[in-house]
Amino acid sequence: MKKVKLKIPATVANLVCGFDILGMAIHEPYDEMEIRLLETPEVIIKHKDQFGLPEEPSKNVAGIVLLKIQEHFNLQNGFEVIIHKHIKPGSGLGSSAASAAGAALGANIVLGNIMSKDEMIHFAMFGEELASGVRHADNIAPCIYGGITLVKSTDPIDIIPLNSPDLFVTAVHPQVEVKTSDSRQILKKNITLKNAVEQWGNIAGLVAGIQKNDFALIGRSLNDIIIEPVRSILIPGFDDVKKKSLEMGALGGGISGSGPSIFMLAEQKETAEKIAALMKSIYDEMKIESFVYVSKINPVGIEIIE
Amino acid sequence: MKKVKLKIPATVANLVCGFDILGMAIHEPYDEMEIRLLETPEVIIKHKDQFGLPEEPSKNVAGIVLLKIQEHFNLQNGFEVIIHKHIKPGSGLGSSAASAAGAALGANIVLGNIMSKDEMIHFAMFGEELASGVRHADNIAPCIYGGITLVKSTDPIDIIPLNSPDLFVTAVHPQVEVKTSDSRQILKKNITLKNAVEQWGNIAGLVAGIQKNDFALIGRSLNDIIIEPVRSILIPGFDDVKKKSLEMGALGGGISGSGPSIFMLAEQKETAEKIAALMKSIYDEMKIESFVYVSKINPVGIEIIE
């Protein structure tokens, strides 16, 4: 196959208590990306969206990934990429990861499956590095593997795919700017051992709940006493959204990645949709534009649509 | 049943990276305990062992648990308890937890199953409090539930039973004294966020490995960069035992509870026995007496033998 069209899902990193290690693919929103193998060595990036992202390959998240693949495999071929981005940059829903993971997985397909999943993740991390300065895989891993993933280590790459519980996800993206670098800088460098122990009880509970499909356990493990209290200050309406979503029947939820998006898990579609309406109304009242998405946890990750 | 005889297993708390939250029951060593319901309200404790533990009920780990049960249920009955202790006090193999959990579970049987597992844990924690000053359930929980348990919270009690992987455990108890209170006091009160994130990657990996029966993942998750480097200083020979056990094929291991016992996991009985001989020879060479135990992870916990 010399050409492929992909559907690349948004992802929710951290999953509240799993800061820097957990991530989850969802169905909505998603990007579309077409990749074509060229006989000549150019890398051409075209964005068919309104976000004004740079198209010069070395400055583009998908582009840098392809350049690295080209260099590593000493390819004579190039790539033409057309990106229809729907996951808004800066949303905290893995927009840069979608470009990076899509480029790596798409290149792998048009090159005839020359890479393992972990190799694709290796190359995709160059895209994350370009976007945020940090080589992380919290969003890339669930994009490539689907479902919920544990990034046990990025050097060496050690990704553990977890179960994909049959749950609904409501995500809201309020139109406020939170820079990943800011939301990382405000974190305290030191924490108490007591808080760390409570946090790792929650992480252990969350992983056990995911593996046992114990939804109540997942819900009561979605607590973060270390990162959320600091980061949520940057997100207007956060406390209100969380409190009222839980009252409405959400299992739990919190900040998606470094924000400003917020996600909530629910067992029933009806609950997820009521939470979506609630989120919208909270931001309407605050006169903050917002986008709301309801979908299920996405067990497959990136899909080939053509 | 007015009388019961129990076999109560040793337990390994922490499981390296799961400080204060994880615990595992093993088959060897174990205590034996006979509990008889009395028509009169006395609580009588008799130790048929050489450890010189106090037999006055309010000063005895099993005794205090029975007094609390008697008080809570406003019982007119008393209990006579005969303890054959084989799990050495101060070994780090859950000796006090065995007395406490055995008393709670035994009382429940002779009283006609009036308590849930979590209620038994509630009462057994009074025994741990008497022994160490801390109401913890890391050792009690696997004694009562069997296998590997996650203590997500003790207030309220929230215990998550995990899988019980089909693995061998080698434990060595070198005859050196490490007081739980000392080994707790030398811990740093603050840790870096960076180390905490690495630790919770290991915990998440360990829980995922246990639930997936992925032995290699269990092995590479048994890393503790926070507690072990500090506590292992109190245990002579620790580094040597760990390094050589791993070279010999152990999946991983570390300090049992707060020490001085050390445990190692292995897939094959032969490996576990070779590790046992290795441990013995290391301490023989150091002129430190040691006791070595080889058994499997114990999926059932306390057993009724009569």
Side-chain angles (χ1 to χ4, degrees):
Chain A
M1 210 181 323
K2 296 293 175 200
K3 193 181 158 188
V4 69
K5 189 171 177 183
L6 304 172
K7 184 174 167 181
I8 312 165
T11 44
V12 172
N14 296 345
L15 288 185
V16 187
C17 54
F19 176 65
D20 271 1
I21 62 167
L22 294 177
M24 167 177 81
I26 58 182
H27 283 290
E28 301 271 350
Y30 60 87
D31 284 356
E32 287 163 291
M33 184 185 283
E34 292 165 65
I35 300 197
R36 192 157 66 89
L37 192 68
L38 302 178
E39 294 306 315
T40 47
E42 308 93 337
V43 172
I44 302 161
I45 308 285
K46 292 178 189 165
H47 267 280
K48 302 267 183 176
D49 51 53
Q50 78 282 27
F51 300 116
L53 295 166
E55 293 186 337
E56 192 184 323
S58 66
K59 294 182 180 167
N60 180 281
V61 170
I64 189 82
V65 173
L66 296 171
L67 289 173
K68 291 287 180 181
I69 289 172
Q70 201 180 37
E71 184 191 327
H72 178 84
F73 293 104
N74 201 16
L75 300 178
Q76 305 306 308
N77 301 89
F79 303 93
E80 186 188 47
V81 183
I82 299 168
I83 303 171
H84 305 258
K85 187 164 278 299
H86 309 293
I87 311 167
K88 294 181 194 0
S91 59
L93 290 169
S95 181
S96 57
S99 292
L105 194 134
N108 185 53
I109 292 169
V110 298
L111 290 169
N113 291 307
I114 59 171
M115 292 182 264
S116 69
K117 283 182 174 171
D118 289 352
E119 280 176 290
M120 291 183 242
I121 288 169
H122 164 77
F123 289 111
M125 281 199 291
F126 288 105
E128 289 291 53
E129 192 176 17
L130 179 69
S132 71
V134 185
R135 277 179 68 77
H136 71 98
D138 321 11
N139 295 91
I140 291 169
C143 240
I144 300 273
Y145 278 90
I148 299 178
T149 54
L150 163 62
V151 179
K152 202 171 124 37
S153 159
T154 55
D155 185 21
I157 292 173
D158 189 0
I159 311 292
I160 318 299
L162 302 177
N163 269 355
S164 186
D166 191 22
L167 291 173
F168 288 89
V169 186
T170 312
V172 61
H173 175 205
Q175 301 298 290
V176 294
E177 196 184 356
V178 175
K179 283 193 179 153
T180 304
S181 52
D182 287 351
S183 76
R184 199 162 271 273
Q185 267 165 5
I186 60 164
L187 297 178
K188 289 169 188 140
K189 295 250 178 320
N190 290 291
I191 61 175
T192 64
L193 180 59
K194 189 172 167 290
N195 280 351
V197 170
E198 188 172 333
Q199 188 89 352
W200 62 57
N202 283 322
I203 292 163
L206 180 57
V207 173
I210 291 167
Q211 292 308 99
K212 290 159 84 96
N213 275 306
D214 181 335
F215 298 156
L217 176 56
I218 290 173
R220 67 183 191 275
S221 299
L222 286 170
N223 277 310
D224 172 5
I225 57 169
I226 293 172
I227 312 295
E228 184 178 285
V230 181
R231 279 194 169 168
S232 61
I233 296 164
L234 300 176
I235 305 170
F238 177 84
D239 291 345
D240 210 22
V241 166
K242 181 158 185 178
K243 185 169 169 282
K244 290 182 178 159
S245 297
L246 293 174
E247 285 167 4
M248 212 165 247
L251 285 171
I255 303 170
S256 177
S258 55
S261 289
I262 304 168
F263 81 101
M264 287 288 152
L265 296 179
E267 282 188 64
Q268 307 296 334
K269 189 176 186 185
E270 200 192 351
T271 313
E273 283 171 348
K274 276 165 65 185
I275 291 167
L278 165 83
M279 289 167 164
K280 188 89 192 138
S281 75
I282 287 173
Y283 285 109
D284 282 355
E285 211 160 290
M286 295 173 77
K287 310 255 187 279
I288 294 173
E289 196 188 4
S290 66
F291 297 92
V292 183
Y293 308 95
V294 177
S295 67
K296 294 191 95 164
I297 297 178
N298 175 344
V300 294
I302 298 172
E303 289 173 88
I304 301 169
I305 49 178
E306 253 175 47
Chain B
M1 209 180 323
K2 295 292 174 202
K3 193 181 156 186
V4 70
K5 188 170 176 184
L6 303 173
K7 183 174 167 181
I8 312 165
T11 44
V12 172
N14 297 345
L15 288 185
V16 186
C17 55
F19 175 67
D20 272 2
I21 61 168
L22 294 177
M24 167 177 81
I26 59 183
H27 282 289
E28 300 273 351
Y30 60 86
D31 284 357
E32 288 163 290
M33 184 184 281
E34 292 165 65
I35 300 198
R36 193 156 65 89
L37 192 68
L38 302 178
E39 295 306 315
T40 47
E42 307 94 335
V43 171
I44 302 162
I45 309 284
K46 291 179 191 166
H47 267 279
K48 302 268 184 178
D49 51 55
Q50 78 282 29
F51 301 115
L53 295 166
E55 293 186 337
E56 191 184 323
S58 66
K59 294 180 181 169
N60 180 282
V61 170
I64 189 83
V65 173
L66 296 171
L67 289 174
K68 291 287 181 181
I69 289 171
Q70 200 180 37
E71 184 190 326
H72 177 85
F73 292 104
N74 202 14
L75 300 177
Q76 304 306 309
N77 301 88
F79 304 92
E80 184 188 48
V81 182
I82 300 168
I83 302 172
H84 305 259
K85 186 164 278 300
H86 310 293
I87 310 167
K88 294 182 192 0
S91 59
L93 291 168
S95 181
S96 57
S99 292
L105 193 134
N108 184 53
I109 293 168
V110 298
L111 291 169
N113 291 309
I114 59 172
M115 292 183 265
S116 69
K117 284 182 174 171
D118 289 352
E119 278 176 291
M120 291 183 241
I121 288 170
H122 164 77
F123 289 110
M125 281 199 290
F126 288 105
E128 288 291 53
E129 190 176 19
L130 179 68
S132 71
V134 184
R135 278 180 67 78
H136 71 97
D138 322 11
N139 295 92
I140 292 168
C143 240
I144 300 272
Y145 277 91
I148 300 179
T149 53
L150 162 63
V151 178
K152 203 172 122 40
S153 159
T154 54
D155 186 21
I157 291 172
D158 188 0
I159 311 291
I160 318 299
L162 302 178
N163 269 355
S164 186
D166 190 22
L167 291 173
F168 288 88
V169 186
T170 311
V172 61
H173 174 204
Q175 301 298 291
V176 294
E177 196 185 355
V178 175
K179 284 192 177 152
T180 305
S181 52
D182 287 351
S183 76
R184 200 163 270 273
Q185 268 165 6
I186 60 164
L187 297 178
K188 291 171 186 135
K189 295 247 178 322
N190 290 291
I191 62 176
T192 64
L193 180 59
K194 189 173 167 291
N195 280 352
V197 170
E198 188 172 333
Q199 188 89 351
W200 61 57
N202 283 322
I203 292 162
L206 181 56
V207 173
I210 291 166
Q211 293 307 100
K212 290 159 85 96
N213 275 304
D214 180 336
F215 298 156
L217 176 56
I218 290 173
R220 66 181 191 276
S221 300
L222 285 171
N223 277 311
D224 172 6
I225 57 168
I226 293 172
I227 312 295
E228 184 178 286
V230 181
R231 280 194 170 169
S232 60
I233 296 164
L234 301 175
I235 305 170
F238 177 83
D239 292 344
D240 211 21
V241 166
K242 180 156 184 180
K243 185 169 169 281
K244 289 180 177 160
S245 297
L246 293 174
E247 285 167 3
M248 211 166 247
L251 286 171
I255 304 169
S256 177
S258 55
S261 289
I262 304 169
F263 81 101
M264 287 288 151
L265 296 179
E267 281 190 63
Q268 306 297 332
K269 190 177 186 187
E270 200 193 349
T271 313
E273 283 171 349
K274 276 165 64 185
I275 292 167
L278 165 83
M279 290 167 162
K280 188 88 192 138
S281 75
I282 288 173
Y283 286 109
D284 282 354
E285 213 159 289
M286 295 173 77
K287 310 253 187 279
I288 294 172
E289 196 189 4
S290 66
F291 297 92
V292 183
Y293 309 94
V294 177
S295 67
K296 293 190 96 165
I297 297 177
N298 176 343
V300 293
I302 298 172
E303 290 172 88
I304 300 169
I305 51 179
E306 254 176 48

